[in-house]
Amino acid sequence: MNFASIEMILMITLASGVLAYLIGKLNAKLGSIVTILVSMYVTIAVIYFGYNGELVITTEYLPLVTFKVTNIGLFFASTVTFVFAMVSFFNPFFIDKYKFKALYSMLYIFSLVGILGVFFTDNFMTLFVFFEFTVWSSMFLIPMGKSTKSTTLYFAMSTIGSFALLYAIFLMRSQSGSFDIDQGLAMVSGAKATWTYILLSVAAFAKLGAFPLHLWLPKVLGDAPDPVTAVFSGGLEKLGAFVAVMGLVRLAPVSFNIGAIDMDFARYVIAFIGSITIIIGTLMAIRQDDAKKLLAYSSMSNGGYIIVALTIGNGIAISGALYHVLAHAIASAAAFLAIAAVARKTNTTKMSELGGMIHNMPITYMVYLIAIISMAGIPPMGGFISKWMIFQAVINKGLPIIAIGVFFGSIGSFLYVFRPLAALFLGQQLPEYKHLKEAPFFMVLPMIILSGLIIYTGVLPNYILGKINEIVVDLGATAVTITEYTITGFNGTIHPALISGMFGVGVFVAFLIFITFKKSKKVTLMDTYTAGEFIYTEELLHYSVDFYAPLERLYEKYIHIMEKTYDSIRNKIAEVGHFFKYYFFTNKPEVSVFWIVIIVSLLLWGESLW
Amino acid sequence: MKNFLALILTLFLGFLIMSSLNNNIAFPKFGEANIGDRVSDAYIDRDVTENPGDVIFGETDGLESGPANIVTAIVADYRSFDTLGEVTVLFVSALGVALLLGTKKQKRLEIDFHPNFMLRVGSKALFGVILMTGIYISIHGHLTPGGGFPGGSMIATSMLLLYLADDNFRAKVKGFKILESIAGSLYVLIGIIGLIIGGSFLVNILDTGVIGELFSAGIIPIVYVLIGLKVGSEISNVIDNFLTEEGA
Amino acid sequence: MSAVLLIAVPLLAAFISILNKKLAPVLLLLVSLFNIVSIFFYSLGTITIGGFEAPYGISLVLDNYSLIGLIVINIAFFLVLLISYEKVKKVATVLLVALAGLNGLLLTGDLFNLFVFIEVSGIAAYLISTTNKKYVATFNYLVIGTVGSSFYLLGLIILYAMVGTLNMSDMALRISSEGISAANLSLPFLFMFIGLGVEAKLLPFNSWVKGILGNSNKLVGPMIASVYAGTISLVFGRILTSVFVVSDRLGLILTVILLVGIVAGETMAFASTKLREILLYSSIAQASLVIILFLEGITGWAVMMVIANVISKLVLFAIASYTSDELKTDEVDNLKGIFSKNKIIGVAFTIASLSVSGLPLFMGFVVKMNVLTSIFDGEDYLLAAVILLTSIVEGVYFVRVLIKLWYNKEDAKTINYNFVIKYIVSVLAVLLIVFGTYTTVLNDQVETVNEVFEIGGNE
């Protein structure tokens, strides 16, 4: 029994998943409290033992499973487990809304087990087992939310990703002769390397929700229970980033080199799709009314940043991508939690049905504000640092087309992230929500911790960047030059702390101005001037309805293209099925006999011709 | 038209099979198969376990397989297990007929044919003859062409005759059932006894005697009689099932 | 004791059982139980029948391959009887014959004897299927089944004319010693393949499946889809591994036909809305996949896949058929939420279907992974791609069904599942998890099976 061994942590977690189920059967609340304890335990164990270098990788009980602690695995594991731990605080408050309460707690913990396994193994087969394990345990969390429809979609997309991964794994094995991750990635070559590159990209795309496998993301995040949404966006999605690092950085595809930018064609294609993902995510986010869906699309476009950065693959780009993983994980977790806190009280996440929540939930408002500042990439939050590094990399590499996408996304995110802020929290208070109070302490606590981290990553990124540099070196790129307070990019150096300080001063001045010149008069939301006419559809007059209508009109014709494509794929599959049914499965035995005779005849005929 | 197409298709298939076999060097031409290295050679010479030398009708005794009729030797001795299987096939088919057509209360099927007096009497006279022939064929299965299956069918034919000749006739189905059951069970039991005494299932535990005599070939005549009885009673049951319908 | 008792005792019981209809079901249970217990007392080896050595006499082969099949099939048979005891009464004798036939199929080492047992078990199957009370479907089954076994017989006759023996191992020996080329054997093998293909539910010889399994009650469903399907797959495996010498060309053609079968099966299941139809089309795909594996020489894991299928199909069909027996409908949309009131049944169904679609923690996953490993070892990238792509479709329709059966907006219909089915399906579901996590057992079994056919172990 070694409590610092990964095997032990996994097994304890797995066992407590079952325990959570049993306890949850007796008392659902208690069961969900188990999820808090377990995910806190896992987080602390991983971070404490991990960064002290004490994690033991030997296995005694689990056959065929081998573990390995890598810097990148540790980085991802600590990020994701931390998100799980923070989100788990919300579980007890939401558990009553679910149909299968005990099961929820169990599956929540099971997904955590799966994630841990993926990050801490050196064996592809183990990785895949845990990958799939995560898929099915998280899959059954989704239908407990608003709607069950998106579950199948999630499973389909995820499975496409998983099987692409699996195929890639076997391709690598055919050349390296084992399931070892390092060997596999190192030894695959030739056409197989290109295929592996493509397949791993598909796997990463499916998990990150990148175009064209993005459809599940908004649907699942829109439908899933509120805490689960945060876990998906902040945690499970990052599986895709993990695979992406494996495929996009550690593999060299062999198609042909584009001379002008010294970049492989396959790589460029992936980067291009990444930038498309950013653009689509941004455009779609702009037109959402549901705050959760809006954030889902924003998650998608952030996934695009990670992909673009990883394809470029130099030191700055990789650190940018990894830092973005972290920054986005905590920011989106915070944002989703904040919305979850609101939704718990109001039972809606539609922006047009909300408003003025700042009066009821000021802390939640602050958390959300900080989160979206980070997501939009504005200093002094973590998202700024990562985006700055990614911009550096893209500009330096000289990728104008891709840069358009990247910058578009950044500007576009200003357009959408502040909408929920304005619609949900600011503006006039709705009369029906007047009595609502701030979320309970144990919900506020994780949100505050997350916000603190967001600010910390923005102001003092260098400790974490140091850790990331170790990964960068592992991956064979040059480490980013950092000092205690500065980061050096390709064309300049920034002082995050200094920037933050300036920002702080700016905010303080603005706040003073706001306090001293406060003159606005409060009106209720529906107190609208209507020229003596009675309004029947007053919700249309909510200012967040059709906020960007002119912009949306530019592209609203095209937004369903992907959905239609998938629908038609589905219909095609069913059509093939109907075809076979019609021609082979009649109630007439003579038809079967006919087919037998035909097949025999054709074969024999062929044989006599051969 | 459909039938015509089916005919064409079948002929085409037949032609293809023929021509394919014709071109196939591994498939022996008629009369050219080399019998010497086939298993059937051993069946004819009766030298599977030991070589008895020349087999002479009426003289050689103690053969590994006693029947003078080679077909019987193969069917009921060398490959007796298959025969047990075939008996089972018939058994379960008859059972199926009973399952689908048999009801609790039955009466004869109303058919628009009423046999006259001559037919009734004549058939009764014929009945005995056919029955006896059937039994004879069953008993002499190991000596002459025939055996349990044809014999049994003939026994059933005699029953069919009675059914046809008399529209009120009903056989005692229950009796047939018992006969069928006993005959079948005995067949298996003989096999199991062989397993216990002789070490393998359906082994010939009795002395095979002199080839060509009525009391020879060990268990084979017994088995064949059992088969005859079983087949006869099963087919009779089937006949009864077909010629009766639900009713008082 | 000799393993022939596995065939002889049910037969004897069948003959006796027609005397007393009341006792027949009891006899059936006793014999079935006897078979299960007795399997563990037989010693491995070739069993000669009638005292004539192979190849002259008929011989049964009890090796590790048939042993594993016998254990699985006999136990599954017994469980099906327990689940559907009230349906069993009418066809108890037939089931006894079926049991003898199935054991015979697994044991026999003689190609003609195999035909006899195909007939025996086939006719028994037709009669079992009459309990569905869909006589037209049974008639279809009868016609197609008969055509199939005729093809088998025709192929066997041609083969016998060429080789001059019926014993399987002797046949293989002579084919190689006399140097008969694989191309020359294509015709008889093709016929035999078709004959067995009818019973094994391979496209396009399988239109009977829809009528039989689509209307199955709780006896017919698990019996045909699980017990029979498993047996026939194993028979196929034995013939493909130890007798058939498939030429490259024929192998390619058969693989293509089977691949079409997989695609067809999965797409048809995808296009279906009735629970039993989904399951039956899915099992068509499974069957084709198993046969492909045998063709490719991945024998050990193919056997494991058969076992996994037997277990999971037993669970799935037992529950689906039981449910539709009770509710008189199996439209998935009409069954919404039934599992939320019958959690044990629901969990077992979920586990079984997740195992079939190959998700980790369950037996199906382990099997699928090892199968894929072997396929990639054989550098058959297209086959692997088809298997994976169809698996996606498969997973999607299973998840779709699961979500519908667990969640509902309105009140779900209530069904009282009796405790027998509850116990059995939960035990089987646990078994799927055990095999899915404790994989050493499977690996050992694969080794022993591969040793039977002298296939090198997969490291």
Side-chain angles (χ1 to χ4, degrees):
Chain A
M1 289 283 275
N2 186 342
F3 284 100
S5 94
I6 298 172
E7 181 185 39
M8 247 4 252
I9 296 176
L10 271 184
M11 277 171 32
I12 291 174
T13 317
L14 198 65
S16 42
V18 179
L19 186 74
Y21 179 79
L22 296 176
I23 294 177
K25 272 278 152 200
L26 301 174
N27 185 327
K29 272 246 158 63
L30 278 180
S32 63
I33 288 171
V34 173
T35 65
I36 303 181
L37 298 176
V38 172
S39 41
M40 284 305 286
Y41 154 74
V42 172
T43 315
I44 293 167
V46 165
I47 294 177
Y48 177 77
F49 292 126
Y51 286 104
N52 284 331
E54 287 171 11
L55 274 180
V56 178
I57 57 169
T58 48
T59 51
E60 292 171 53
Y61 307 101
L62 298 173
L64 303 169
V65 177
T66 50
F67 295 114
K68 184 179 182 185
V69 180
T70 53
N71 284 325
I72 184 162
L74 197 57
F75 172 75
F76 271 94
S78 33
T79 309
V80 173
T81 48
F82 178 72
V83 169
F84 262 84
M86 289 301 112
V87 175
S88 67
F89 280 95
F90 272 54
N91 286 338
F93 299 100
F94 283 83
I95 196 86
D96 290 335
K97 298 189 175 187
Y98 307 141
K99 185 162 181 180
F100 304 107
K101 301 175 176 65
L103 185 71
Y104 174 86
S105 305
M106 182 170 89
L107 291 176
Y108 187 86
I109 295 175
F110 275 9
S111 349
L112 183 58
V113 174
I115 288 257
L116 270 185
V118 171
F119 293 142
F120 281 126
T121 183
D122 65 342
N123 180 299
F124 268 127
M125 198 31 79
T126 315
L127 181 139
F128 182 75
V129 170
F130 283 110
F131 199 90
E132 281 285 272
F133 187 71
T134 318
V135 169
W136 79 252
S137 46
S138 58
M139 171 176 79
F140 288 118
L141 287 173
I142 301 169
M144 294 192 204
K146 253 193 294 190
S147 156
T148 59
K149 274 179 198 152
S150 51
T151 317
T152 322
L153 186 68
Y154 170 65
F155 181 79
M157 300 273 181
S158 275
T159 315
I160 290 172
S162 317
F163 284 166
L165 174 67
L166 186 64
Y167 205 94
I169 290 174
F170 277 114
L171 279 181
M172 285 183 265
R173 180 177 172 276
S174 72
Q175 289 201 316
S176 74
S178 77
F179 283 122
D180 190 85
I181 292 181
D182 296 329
Q183 275 185 27
L185 288 168
M187 289 173 74
V188 67
S189 59
K192 277 183 186 167
T194 310
W195 277 107
T196 311
Y197 186 84
I198 294 170
L199 287 167
L200 284 180
S201 310
V202 171
F205 280 21
K207 273 278 135 195
L208 269 177
F211 176 85
L213 297 168
H214 64 275
L215 265 193
W216 66 271
L217 195 64
K219 295 216 163 146
V220 166
L221 294 192
D223 285 353
D226 298 323
V228 176
T229 323
V231 163
F232 263 101
S233 174
L236 296 175
E237 240 193 277
K238 301 301 174 265
L239 272 179
F242 187 69
V243 175
V245 172
M246 238 178 230
L248 302 181
V249 180
R250 297 176 69 179
L251 268 183
V254 191
S255 52
F256 59 90
N257 205 37
I258 304 174
I261 48 169
D262 187 27
M263 194 174 185
D264 192 89
F265 179 68
R267 233 170 228 193
Y268 189 80
V269 170
I270 302 290
F272 187 71
I273 297 177
S275 75
I276 289 185
T277 303
I278 298 175
I279 294 175
I280 293 182
T282 308
L283 287 178
M284 291 304 286
I286 286 173
R287 64 184 309 282
Q288 297 306 314
D289 181 39
D290 188 321
K292 277 165 79 183
K293 283 196 174 165
L294 185 147
L295 285 178
Y297 278 113
S298 115
S299 281
M300 172 185 167
S301 79
N302 280 297
Y305 283 103
I306 296 171
I307 290 170
V308 168
L310 287 177
T311 48
I312 294 168
N314 53 33
I316 285 257
I318 296 174
S319 349
L322 291 177
Y323 205 77
H324 200 68
V325 167
L326 175 69
H328 179 252
I330 45 181
S332 72
F336 274 113
L337 286 184
I339 288 177
V342 173
R344 176 171 165 265
K345 290 281 173 64
T346 60
N347 282 326
T348 178
T349 51
K350 288 216 161 65
M351 290 182 276
S352 52
E353 293 169 8
L354 291 163
M357 297 307 287
I358 186 173
H359 302 290
N360 310 100
M361 312 172 105
I363 305 176
T364 310
Y365 160 74
M366 278 310 291
V367 170
Y368 186 80
L369 179 67
I370 292 169
I372 56 163
I373 291 177
S374 176
M375 286 169 100
I378 299 169
M381 308 302 172
F384 166 71
I385 309 290
S386 59
K387 274 195 182 166
W388 181 79
M389 292 168 90
I390 292 172
F391 289 169
Q392 289 274 325
V394 172
I395 295 166
N396 182 262
K397 188 83 185 168
L399 303 169
I401 301 174
I402 288 164
I404 290 174
V406 172
F407 289 120
F408 179 86
S410 211
I411 296 162
S413 64
F414 290 115
L415 293 181
Y416 63 75
V417 284
F418 288 97
R419 245 182 86 216
L421 183 78
L424 254 74
F425 291 103
L426 303 177
Q428 299 92 328
Q429 197 170 18
L430 287 175
E432 61 260 46
Y433 300 134
K434 211 154 204 156
H435 60 283
L436 297 182
K437 297 217 169 58
E438 178 59 87
F441 174 70
F442 279 106
M443 281 169 76
V444 173
L445 180 69
M447 294 198 287
I448 291 177
I449 296 176
L450 283 169
S451 312
L453 255 180
I454 295 171
I455 298 173
Y456 169 74
T457 50
V459 180
L460 300 164
N462 295 32
Y463 175 73
I464 294 170
L465 276 175
K467 294 282 168 209
I468 288 177
N469 263 342
E470 290 171 17
I471 302 171
V472 172
V473 173
D474 282 353
L475 292 172
T478 44
V480 183
T481 322
I482 48 170
T483 65
E484 205 168 335
Y485 292 110
T486 62
I487 309 166
T488 309
F490 288 107
N491 45 10
T493 301
I494 58 166
H495 300 72
L498 185 65
I499 295 175
S500 310
M502 311 259 292
F503 231 83
V505 172
V507 170
F508 183 69
V509 170
F511 184 70
L512 281 184
I513 294 171
F514 175 71
I515 292 289
T516 37
F517 297 99
K518 192 172 175 185
K519 283 200 182 88
S520 61
K521 170 195 165 211
K522 276 192 183 173
V523 290
T524 61
L525 181 65
M526 301 308 170
D527 188 2
T528 334
Y529 176 68
T530 55
E533 196 180 337
F534 191 82
I535 307 169
Y536 295 95
T537 51
E538 56 181 21
E539 61 275 6
L540 287 181
L541 293 177
H542 190 298
Y543 64 90
S544 78
V545 174
D546 288 336
F547 201 73
Y548 293 115
L551 177 62
E552 285 168 28
R553 250 174 245 137
L554 292 177
Y555 59 89
E556 68 186 351
K557 259 190 271 178
Y558 310 106
I559 52 173
H560 292 301
I561 288 180
M562 281 319 291
E563 231 163 301
K564 277 182 190 150
T565 314
Y566 285 116
D567 269 350
S568 79
I569 290 176
R570 206 184 57 213
N571 291 337
K572 281 284 173 314
I573 294 176
E575 258 171 41
V576 174
H578 284 300
F579 168 83
F580 280 114
K581 265 195 204 178
Y582 183 80
Y583 284 103
F584 293 108
F585 286 82
T586 53
N587 280 328
K588 294 174 187 153
E590 64 263 32
V591 176
S592 273
V593 178
F594 172 77
W595 284 115
I596 296 176
V597 171
I598 286 286
I599 284 197
V600 176
S601 306
L602 287 179
L603 288 181
L604 289 181
W605 197 8
E607 198 182 24
S608 56
L609 286 179
W610 275 328
Chain B
M1 191 59 197
K2 210 170 161 187
N3 289 344
F4 182 69
L5 276 178
L7 181 70
I8 297 285
L9 197 62
T10 317
L11 285 178
F12 182 61
L13 177 66
F15 169 74
L16 284 172
I17 294 175
M18 298 287 252
S19 64
S20 166
L21 284 179
N22 203 26
N23 296 330
N24 196 330
I25 44 161
F27 190 75
K29 296 267 180 298
F30 182 75
E32 289 176 13
N34 181 8
I35 215 79
D37 57 354
R38 294 176 162 248
V39 286
S40 40
D41 195 36
Y43 296 151
I44 297 166
D45 293 341
R46 312 278 160 99
D47 61 354
V48 168
T49 44
E50 58 192 289
N51 193 347
D54 287 341
V55 180
I56 301 162
F57 188 82
E59 281 180 26
T60 319
D61 68 341
L63 281 171
E64 56 175 21
S65 177
N69 181 355
I70 283 183
V71 175
T72 305
I74 295 173
V75 168
D77 203 356
Y78 289 115
R79 301 193 67 89
S80 186
F81 196 52
D82 281 346
T83 309
L84 179 59
E86 291 301 343
V87 169
T88 315
V89 168
L90 188 62
F91 167 74
V92 74
S93 313
L95 204 66
V97 174
L99 201 67
L100 293 176
L101 298 179
T103 39
K104 280 247 165 62
K105 293 202 165 163
Q106 288 179 318
K107 65 173 174 51
R108 282 293 300 270
L109 200 65
E110 297 285 345
I111 35 177
D112 198 18
F113 169 73
H114 298 289
N116 58 21
F117 178 73
M118 282 303 288
L119 189 54
R120 271 209 296 276
V121 175
S123 63
K124 265 177 192 154
L126 210 53
F127 165 73
V129 179
I130 298 178
L131 186 66
M132 288 311 290
T133 321
I135 293 172
Y136 181 88
I137 288 178
S138 297
I139 292 176
H140 288 75
H142 59 303
L143 300 177
T144 55
F149 283 102
S153 314
M154 211 167 265
I155 294 171
T157 318
S158 65
M159 294 308 297
L160 177 62
L161 195 65
L162 288 187
Y163 270 90
L164 291 181
D166 184 349
D167 50 4
N168 291 319
F169 179 82
R170 284 290 310 272
K172 285 210 164 51
V173 179
K174 188 82 189 164
F176 282 137
K177 273 247 155 85
I178 295 172
L179 192 63
E180 180 188 353
S181 166
I182 290 173
S185 313
L186 279 178
Y187 193 172
V188 181
L189 278 177
I190 287 176
I192 295 179
I193 291 168
L195 181 65
I196 294 165
I197 298 175
S200 78
F201 190 70
L202 281 173
V203 76
N204 202 336
I205 40 171
L206 299 178
D207 186 30
T208 50
V210 178
I211 187 168
E213 289 184 3
L214 181 59
F215 291 101
S216 69
I219 60 166
I220 286 157
I222 305 173
V223 166
Y224 244 0
V225 169
L226 290 177
I227 293 175
L229 290 175
K230 190 163 165 53
V231 170
S233 47
E234 269 159 9
I235 300 185
S236 307
N237 269 346
V238 170
I239 291 169
D240 182 71
N241 278 320
F242 275 133
L243 290 176
T244 51
E245 62 183 352
E246 209 167 336
Chain C
M1 283 213 287
S2 163
V4 73
L5 289 181
L6 289 175
I7 305 165
V9 172
L11 266 189
L12 182 63
F15 292 140
I16 294 173
S17 70
I18 51 172
L19 292 178
N20 191 329
K21 276 195 176 145
K22 289 232 171 75
L23 279 179
V26 181
L27 201 60
L28 173 61
L29 281 185
L30 288 178
V31 168
S32 179
L33 204 58
F34 162 81
N35 268 10
I36 295 174
V37 175
S38 69
I39 292 172
F40 296 97
F41 293 98
Y42 303 128
S43 49
L44 297 184
T46 306
I47 301 137
T48 53
I49 305 275
F52 303 105
E53 290 298 323
Y56 302 101
I58 293 166
S59 61
L60 306 181
V61 180
L62 185 66
D63 49 19
N64 279 316
Y65 180 86
S66 40
L67 185 67
I68 205 172
L70 285 170
I71 295 172
V72 172
I73 296 298
N74 277 290
I75 293 177
F77 191 92
F78 184 66
L79 295 181
V80 175
L81 294 185
L82 290 184
I83 289 175
S84 55
Y85 190 64
E86 63 258 45
K87 299 263 178 199
V88 161
K89 284 173 187 155
K90 210 179 159 192
V91 287
T93 310
V94 177
L95 283 167
L96 278 165
V97 175
L99 182 59
L102 293 172
N103 283 326
L105 283 173
L106 290 171
L107 274 171
T108 188
D110 186 284
L111 286 171
F112 184 77
N113 198 234
L114 183 67
F115 169 73
V116 172
F117 282 118
I118 289 178
E119 286 287 281
V120 170
S121 55
I123 296 176
Y126 309 146
L127 292 177
I128 294 170
S129 74
T130 56
T131 54
N132 282 344
K133 308 236 181 276
K134 299 278 184 215
Y135 297 113
V136 178
T138 301
F139 179 70
N140 289 353
Y141 187 16
L142 179 76
V143 172
I144 300 167
T146 314
V147 170
S149 44
S150 315
F151 267 102
Y152 177 85
L153 190 59
L154 182 58
L156 182 58
I157 290 168
I158 296 172
L159 198 60
Y160 180 68
M162 287 177 178
V163 187
T165 185
L166 290 169
N167 187 280
M168 289 182 193
S169 49
D170 192 41
M171 175 88 70
L173 213 66
R174 281 177 193 234
I175 286 174
S176 62
S177 71
E178 290 176 21
I180 304 175
S181 73
N184 284 331
L185 291 169
S186 302
L187 179 70
F189 283 168
L190 181 67
F191 281 161
M192 290 164 81
F193 187 89
I194 291 174
L196 289 171
V198 169
E199 292 291 334
K201 303 187 285 202
L202 303 183
L203 199 85
F205 323 124
N206 55 1
S207 66
W208 59 269
V209 185
K210 186 184 168 196
I212 300 296
L213 290 181
N215 300 308
S216 62
N217 60 32
K218 60 188 168 188
L219 170 63
V220 179
M223 186 60 88
I224 303 290
S226 160
V227 180
Y228 264 79
T231 313
I232 295 289
S233 303
L234 288 174
V235 169
F236 233 125
R238 181 175 283 283
I239 290 190
L240 286 175
T241 333
S242 58
V243 186
F244 272 23
V245 189
V246 181
S247 65
D248 289 347
R249 190 193 296 154
L250 185 66
L252 180 69
I253 293 169
L254 294 181
T255 311
V256 169
I257 294 179
L258 291 168
L259 279 181
V260 172
I262 295 180
V263 173
E266 303 291 19
T267 49
M268 284 188 291
F270 188 84
S272 301
T273 55
K274 290 182 175 167
L275 188 53
R276 284 178 298 188
E277 267 190 31
I278 292 174
L279 294 178
L280 79 91
Y281 289 129
S282 152
S283 68
I284 286 173
Q286 305 290 334
S288 305
L289 179 57
V290 167
I291 308 298
I292 287 190
L293 298 184
F294 279 123
L295 263 180
E296 298 275 320
I298 310 170
T299 313
W301 283 107
V303 172
M304 292 305 126
M305 182 167 262
V306 172
I307 294 172
N309 280 346
V310 167
I311 300 177
S312 41
K313 296 287 164 188
L314 181 53
V315 173
L316 294 176
F317 268 99
I319 294 174
S321 307
Y322 196 109
T323 310
S324 19
D325 279 359
E326 297 286 317
L327 295 180
K328 308 283 174 242
T329 171
D330 65 340
E331 278 289 344
V332 177
D333 283 338
N334 292 339
L335 303 178
K336 274 186 183 164
I338 50 165
F339 287 162
S340 58
K341 292 200 174 154
N342 298 286
K343 294 231 171 74
I344 297 175
I345 294 285
V347 169
F349 192 92
T350 310
I351 290 176
S353 52
L354 292 185
S355 171
V356 172
S357 27
L359 291 181
L361 217 61
F362 309 116
M363 187 178 178
F365 177 78
V366 180
V367 174
K368 204 169 230 168
M369 283 310 114
N370 282 291
V371 161
L372 283 171
T373 312
S374 306
I375 290 176
F376 274 98
D377 282 344
E379 310 233 312
D380 210 334
Y381 298 116
L382 187 69
L383 176 61
V386 173
I387 291 177
L388 286 178
L389 281 176
T390 48
S391 290
I392 296 175
V393 177
E394 183 178 38
V396 168
Y397 62 72
F398 267 125
V399 168
R400 201 166 59 186
V401 167
L402 284 180
I403 299 296
K404 279 191 179 163
L405 293 185
W406 275 106
Y407 291 91
N408 58 311
K409 293 251 156 57
E410 309 89 48
D411 269 354
K413 291 169 179 147
T414 41
I415 307 171
N416 289 321
Y417 293 95
N418 65 26
F419 70 98
V420 182
I421 187 173
K422 275 187 190 165
Y423 275 102
I424 290 176
V425 294
S426 35
V427 167
L428 289 176
V430 169
L431 211 59
L432 285 173
I433 296 183
V434 169
F435 285 137
T437 45
Y438 185 57
T439 52
T440 326
V441 195
L442 296 190
N443 283 315
D444 289 350
Q445 290 305 321
V446 167
E447 290 291 314
T448 48
V449 169
N450 280 343
E451 273 165 27
V452 172
F453 299 108
E454 290 164 358
I455 299 168
N458 58 325
E459 67 279 78

